[in-house]
Amino acid sequence: MSQPLSEIVDRADTLYNDIDLAQVRATKERTGHRAVGYMPIYVPREVVHAAAILPVGLMGAGDRIEVIRGDAYFQSYICQIPRSTIELALTGRLDCLDGCLFPSICDVIRNLSGMWQLLFPGKYTRYVDVPQNYERAVGGRYWEEELRHLARDMGELSGHAVRDDELRASIDVYNRNRRLLGELYRLRAEEPWRVPTWEAYLVVRAGNVLPVEEHSRMLEDYLAAARSADRPPRDQSRVVVVGSFCEQPPLGLLKTLERAGCFIVGDDLVLGARWIEGDVSLEGDPFRALSDAFLTRSVSTASRYEATAPKGQSLISTVRRTHAEGVVFCAPSFCDPALLEQPMLEQALDREGIPYTAFKYAENLGQFQVIREQAGTFADSIKLWSEP
Amino acid sequence: MSEPARKEPSMEKQKDMIAGHFRRLAAAKESGKKVVYTFVPGNLTELLLAFDVLPVLPEINALQSGMRQLSGKYIAEAEKRGHSEDVCTYVKCDIGMLKSGNIGPTGEKLPEPDLLLLSYTGCFTFMKWFELLKQEYSCPVAMLHVPYQGDGTITREMRSYVVDQLRSEVIPKLEAVTGRRYDEAALQEKLALSARAEDDLVWVLQSAKHRPSPIDAYFGGVYYIGPMFSSFRGTGDGVEYYRMLRAEVQSRLDRGEGPVTPDGPMGKERYRLVVEGPPNWTSFREFWKMFHSEGAVVVASTYTKVGGVYDLGFRHDPARPLETLADYCLGCYTNLNLPTRVGLLERYVREYGADGFLIHSIKSCNSFSAGQLLILRELEKRTGLAGGFVESDLVDPRYFSPANVKNRLESYFQMIEQKRGAGAAEARA
């Protein structure tokens, strides 16, 4: 018998609120494995997994703790996620992590890696500098070497050296997870009334702390339950949400958008889990396969340099594919990648006649009335004035 | 109205050189010279000169606009066009300038680029900046991704990655734009000239170890000691300029004189400081005056190292032309991780006999600013000295609050004074 929808969502909600990482501690105790945290957006989790280490996604503390010590480390004009991450670490909530990976998203997360080195000298810390050159012989060669370096480090940390066949098996496990995430996103785009975004978000986000195999089972259960749930179709404006790939909006904000009359049919929330589009090859050298997948099938986002594709092409294609009627730019305050990208995306949408609205948030935002009014007006305007 | 700034001969010479550069830029289309836009950190000036192209450095244009009180309206123009108030004001100033006719600092129109050389070194915003410019110009972009020194070292793989990109991306695009073949001998010749100038530059910077310091290594450093180094490295003019500057500083040393400021020679040296972070450009002279009027001289700074940390020993090496360019890019200050930055600042405090250190935190420069409060704590712990902290912005006049900054600086100088008094009392007891 399939698991009831409410149970799955409740479990995901519990994990979302588990800022003490009790789930990670329990997994460590049960398996005897180590755990390594990673910041948004993309790290090659397959490599960490292959070393028998639990990769743990870190996405700040949202609105669930009061940041006190973290604020003492950052000026007022720096975004919220590094503050709450430092707060979590300084209050011992991340003690169960044996190391931390900081991917190249922006200068703040980059510098946070150095802060980690200074604050936690006993912990493994690595800045994961993904290539911005996509030639196999250039950026590919560099990235393969980086992947091998990371594998060596992970092997040393866990005492379990990464073998090619194990890495291939890990790739397989993550391929399955990505396929299920793809299914979830397709279902939401096709029948958004069946998959409210706040629910889907919780279920996707559970993958931050669950072992990937367990997360895939949760996704399967949720898909089955959502497909059979008795949820009548509703007529809301279909929108794509852009700009939330690093610091995540509070759950209340996602609920607010939906209550204001928007169906979110595309988004860039928890983007790292869906970074590679399609399967990573299980043939040949697995490091080469991971590198090739990164070079040729990475998702389009603001922190990635794209030499040839015109700006906004990917967003427009998402809008078309999901039959969205508008775009909501929803970026964290002081987020350089999202906010510098936004004018270019807006120009592209203007050229295509796609309506959009924009606002900013912080992960600990508590008041949504203004956003509700703005999103409601936007949703109404789409319904009232869009061509049929 | 403020009096005209006092200038040393070297200041006049660098002004002439820069004016000449902008004249050549203004005439570029007529003279058939190709123009390449690129950034100061990780700039490949010698390579560009080997292809006989003219570099344009948008950060320099932005700071010049700031000093000429034009940046405020340029930033407003960019914000009107949808650019967020939260992001880098260099970018917005540049976009605003472009949308206002692209008139350069000398009042002449800047030529459009034939190539955007995106030296992605130590600053994420650079990437977005040139993506924005790419929307405006129909010219190719050469991306040079310089990996960050996350572990505080340059590995063989990092160097190879940069060299590979020079060979496969940058040089072919320069060849295509200029119609010239890559000439390694020409590059080596420029690199040799750079190394000569670098020796003199380091000598000038290290002259600040003397008491009194004959230079101000922050305000003077960015005003006339360092900035031309990016555009004129690899030239005979650059070598001559630094030889002249060295002689000038030597004669000040011989006479026991302090730095020359825009308001004339500085008075008695009372406080020796190390400064981390970029300066404010919109109120540059006023900001500097807050220091020199109190007898505070900056003996070492980090912002003057964004174009290269030569005082740690790096020199461009003609014997390994592409590898040396890679090492240069990899070693720029903003490409150093936080522990290395703390180590460098600590070294400056000790080697230059500083009484304290000050962080000038810039609202729109996360590359510098994120982590500076931890840098402050670490330095206080390691040196036993109290640090100062002031905030403003690069070129957004809305974020320079003179009364607040002055107040903080005066309090900081008083604190140094009190600590001295306490130290002296302890010694007497």
Side-chain angles (χ1 to χ4, degrees):
Chain A
M1 193 178 146
S2 62
Q3 204 179 355
L5 189 68
S6 59
E7 269 184 30
I8 303 165
V9 175
D10 283 352
R11 169 102 204 283
D13 187 55
T14 303
L15 294 172
Y16 173 76
N17 285 300
D18 175 20
I19 54 169
D20 292 318
L21 296 182
Q23 171 66 35
V24 173
R25 289 168 210 271
T27 305
K28 283 185 77 174
E29 208 172 297
R30 179 168 52 81
T31 60
H33 292 169
R34 293 195 171 234
V36 165
Y38 61 91
M39 294 294 291
I41 309 174
Y42 172 75
V43 298
R45 291 172 299 162
E46 295 87 340
V47 175
V48 181
H49 181 269
I53 295 176
L54 176 71
V56 178
L58 301 176
M59 291 190 167
D63 52 0
R64 284 151 289 158
I65 58 169
E66 188 183 355
V67 174
I68 299 165
R69 296 168 74 179
D71 272 347
Y73 286 86
F74 293 100
Q75 299 91 320
S76 56
Y77 48 79
I78 305 262
C79 57
Q80 187 66 19
I81 186 170
R83 300 165 193 277
S84 63
T85 305
I86 288 278
E87 184 80 18
L88 289 171
L90 291 176
T91 50
R93 291 174 165 103
L94 305 184
D95 284 356
C96 61
L97 300 179
D98 302 287
C100 202
L101 304 175
F102 296 84
S104 45
I105 308 167
C106 69
D107 295 332
V108 172
I109 300 298
R110 182 197 72 184
N111 287 8
L112 187 61
S113 71
M115 294 176 71
W116 223 258
Q117 289 165 331
L118 289 166
L119 288 168
F120 311 106
K123 295 273 188 182
Y124 174 83
T125 303
R126 184 161 179 81
Y127 178 67
V128 182
D129 208 350
V130 298
Q132 299 286 2
N133 176 294
Y134 297 89
E135 293 298 320
R136 193 194 230 193
V138 183
R141 193 173 78 163
Y142 165 76
W143 184 229
E144 250 184 83
E145 282 161 351
E146 284 293 295
L147 291 170
R148 288 182 199 283
H149 188 127
L150 181 64
R152 278 195 301 277
D153 284 0
M154 291 295 100
E156 279 172 24
L157 190 63
S158 68
H160 181 107
V162 174
R163 295 201 321 253
D164 282 3
D165 58 331
E166 288 170 324
L167 181 54
R168 232 173 265 121
S170 296
I171 290 172
D172 196 24
V173 167
Y174 277 95
N175 279 345
R176 177 166 169 254
N177 191 260
R178 279 187 285 265
R179 282 197 294 270
L180 288 164
L181 288 167
E183 260 188 66
L184 176 63
Y185 269 69
R186 268 192 301 280
L187 176 63
R188 187 184 61 168
E190 284 161 11
E191 299 176 276
W193 54 89
R194 287 196 184 282
V195 186
T197 287
W198 71 269
E199 268 187 22
Y201 175 69
L202 287 176
V203 172
V204 173
R205 181 112 182 221
N208 278 355
V209 290
L210 288 177
V212 61
E213 300 83 353
E214 205 178 320
H215 183 238
S216 291
R217 284 196 293 279
M218 177 187 263
L219 286 167
E220 280 179 330
D221 290 345
Y222 179 80
L223 279 163
R227 282 191 177 112
S228 61
D230 181 21
R231 285 175 159 168
R234 279 182 292 140
D235 184 27
Q236 302 210 138
S237 296
R238 300 166 63 92
V239 300
V240 172
V241 168
V242 186
S244 313
F245 45 81
C246 179
E247 181 177 322
Q248 301 289 288
L251 198 58
L253 194 155
L254 297 177
K255 289 180 177 174
T256 297
L257 290 180
E258 294 188 310
R259 284 176 191 151
C262 297
F263 274 145
I264 299 171
V265 292
D267 64 55
D268 54 7
L269 300 156
V270 201
L271 190 63
R274 300 175 281 130
W275 183 275
I276 304 290
E277 297 182 316
D279 281 357
V280 177
S281 171
L282 298 175
E283 304 298 320
D285 182 337
F287 291 99
R288 169 68 58 89
L290 276 173
S291 172
D292 280 352
F294 179 87
L295 297 179
T296 58
R297 281 182 288 115
S298 282
V299 70
S300 173
T301 190
S303 67
R304 195 166 85 79
Y305 179 69
E306 290 176 277
T308 49
K311 269 287 165 202
Q313 187 184 59
S314 169
L315 175 59
I316 289 161
S317 125
T318 304
V319 168
R320 303 287 184 231
R321 193 181 62 248
T322 57
H323 304 293
E325 298 158 291
V327 169
V328 175
F329 288 103
C330 173
S333 295
F334 306 110
C335 175
D336 276 345
L339 295 172
L340 285 160
E341 178 93 343
Q342 198 168 305
M344 292 181 272
L345 297 181
E346 287 176 353
Q347 277 179 23
L349 294 178
D350 282 338
R351 284 193 293 270
E352 294 291 317
I354 298 168
Y356 56 85
T357 190
F359 53 79
K360 293 184 287 185
Y361 64 86
E363 63 175 15
N364 59 348
L365 181 73
Q367 295 287 333
F368 304 113
Q369 188 55 33
V370 174
I371 289 175
R372 184 172 180 151
E373 283 168 14
Q374 188 179 338
T377 306
F378 183 60
D380 290 348
S381 72
I382 286 174
K383 286 291 169 207
L384 289 170
W385 291 299
S386 288
E387 286 175 24
Chain B
M1 196 169 152
S2 59
E3 283 184 29
R6 306 272 186 88
K7 290 188 193 304
E8 288 276 271
S10 59
M11 296 172 189
E12 296 290 358
K13 179 169 174 60
Q14 76 121 12
K15 193 180 168 194
D16 290 345
M17 286 167 73
I18 289 172
H21 180 63
F22 279 102
R23 275 197 304 275
R24 284 191 291 279
L25 282 172
K29 296 301 166 193
E30 290 157 33
S31 63
K33 285 261 190 185
K34 300 294 180 187
V35 173
V36 174
Y37 285 21
T38 193
F39 294 109
V40 173
N43 72 77
L44 302 171
T45 300
E46 296 85 355
L47 185 63
L48 297 182
L49 295 179
F51 277 98
D52 198 25
V53 299
L54 291 170
V56 170
L57 301 160
E59 309 109 294
I60 304 293
N61 295 340
L63 74 86
Q64 293 274 358
S65 297
M67 292 181 99
R68 289 169 165 75
Q69 310 306 315
L70 296 168
S71 55
K73 71 171 187 182
Y74 289 155
I75 290 166
E77 181 64 33
E79 289 181 358
K80 206 165 69 188
R81 290 169 183 268
H83 292 266
S84 170
E85 65 271 26
D86 290 357
V87 301
C88 175
T89 50
Y90 269 177
V91 177
K92 287 186 288 188
C93 183
D94 191 40
I95 298 283
M97 186 177 91
L98 166 66
K99 294 295 179 188
S100 310
N102 222 16
I103 305 300
T106 51
E108 291 163 299
K109 188 171 166 55
L110 287 171
E112 292 197 357
D114 296 291
L115 176 72
L116 293 168
L117 172 51
L118 204 183
S119 54
Y120 180 45
T121 303
C123 170
F124 172 82
T125 298
F126 285 167
M127 189 170 91
K128 307 314 290 180
W129 192 339
F130 270 17
E131 282 180 354
L132 285 159
L133 291 193
K134 192 181 166 188
Q135 309 289 307
E136 306 291 338
Y137 299 115
S138 53
C139 73
V141 182
M143 165 57 132
L144 177 68
H145 173 211
V146 177
Y148 182 64
Q149 286 197 41
D151 288 337
T153 52
I154 297 173
T155 64
R156 182 181 51 80
E157 290 81 7
M158 289 158 75
R159 184 179 297 114
S160 300
Y161 177 39
V162 177
V163 170
D164 285 349
Q165 291 177 82
L166 292 173
R167 287 208 175 100
S168 67
E169 168 80 2
V170 177
I171 289 174
K173 283 188 173 158
L174 280 167
E175 286 180 331
V177 162
T178 60
R180 287 170 175 247
R181 296 295 304 272
Y182 167 58
D183 179 350
E184 192 149 283
L187 173 61
Q188 286 173 312
E189 192 186 306
K190 314 284 177 204
L191 291 167
L193 290 172
S194 288
R196 283 169 61 191
E198 284 154 8
D199 282 342
D200 284 337
L201 170 75
V202 170
W203 185 92
V204 169
L205 291 173
Q206 293 186 337
S207 70
K209 290 179 181 175
H210 291 89
R211 287 174 189 266
S213 169
I215 62 163
D216 185 290
Y218 183 51
F219 296 102
V222 297
Y223 172 42
Y224 74 106
I225 297 172
M228 53 76 65
F229 204 69
S230 300
S231 298
F232 300 97
R233 218 173 53 209
T235 66
D237 257 1
V239 173
E240 194 190 323
Y241 170 80
Y242 279 101
R243 194 182 303 132
M244 177 185 181
L245 178 63
R246 179 173 175 162
E248 205 174 271
V249 172
Q250 180 64 61
S251 62
R252 279 213 296 281
L253 269 178
D254 295 343
R255 296 193 298 270
E257 291 173 355
V260 176
T261 79
D263 300 304
M266 199 180 109
K268 186 176 179 326
E269 177 182 294
R270 295 174 65 202
Y271 312 105
R272 296 169 64 83
L273 301 175
V274 169
V275 174
E276 146 77 11
N280 165 274
W281 299 107
T282 52
S283 303
F284 184 80
R285 190 169 166 181
E286 187 180 5
F287 193 28
W288 190 353
K289 193 172 182 180
M290 291 178 196
F291 287 72
H292 69 69
S293 63
E294 295 285 333
V297 62
V298 180
V299 289
S301 68
T302 53
Y303 191 61
T304 47
K305 313 297 156 53
V306 294
V309 189
Y310 300 101
D311 49 347
L312 293 186
F314 172 81
R315 297 288 183 278
H316 282 91
D317 178 3
R320 31 195 295 280
L322 296 186
E323 289 76 8
T324 204
L325 287 175
D327 284 349
Y328 163 73
C329 294
L330 288 158
C332 289
Y333 181 74
T334 44
N335 209 46
L336 307 180
N337 70 358
L338 247 62
T340 309
R341 283 169 64 186
V342 171
L344 184 62
L345 282 159
E346 182 188 359
R347 183 171 165 172
Y348 283 163
V349 168
R350 295 191 195 288
E351 290 185 358
Y352 286 78
D355 301 305
F357 57 89
L358 184 85
I359 291 178
H360 182 228
S361 177
I362 291 293
K363 174 189 172 280
S364 63
C365 183
N366 286 340
S367 177
F368 261 98
S369 301
Q372 278 180 329
L373 286 161
L374 181 58
I375 290 178
L376 179 82
R377 289 172 187 218
E378 279 291 315
L379 275 178
E380 286 186 337
K381 195 166 73 186
R382 293 185 193 187
T383 63
L385 297 174
F389 198 89
V390 290
E391 286 184 349
S392 75
D393 191 54
L394 294 164
V395 289
D396 192 336
R398 294 171 297 188
Y399 292 100
F400 188 80
S401 168
N404 282 343
V405 174
K406 192 166 193 295
N407 201 12
R408 280 209 180 193
L409 286 174
E410 284 173 358
S411 302
Y412 182 60
F413 297 142
Q414 279 170 16
M415 187 165 68
I416 293 176
E417 206 63 68
Q418 277 172 353
K419 285 209 162 200
R420 272 187 192 148
E426 256 177 41
R428 280 196 299 275

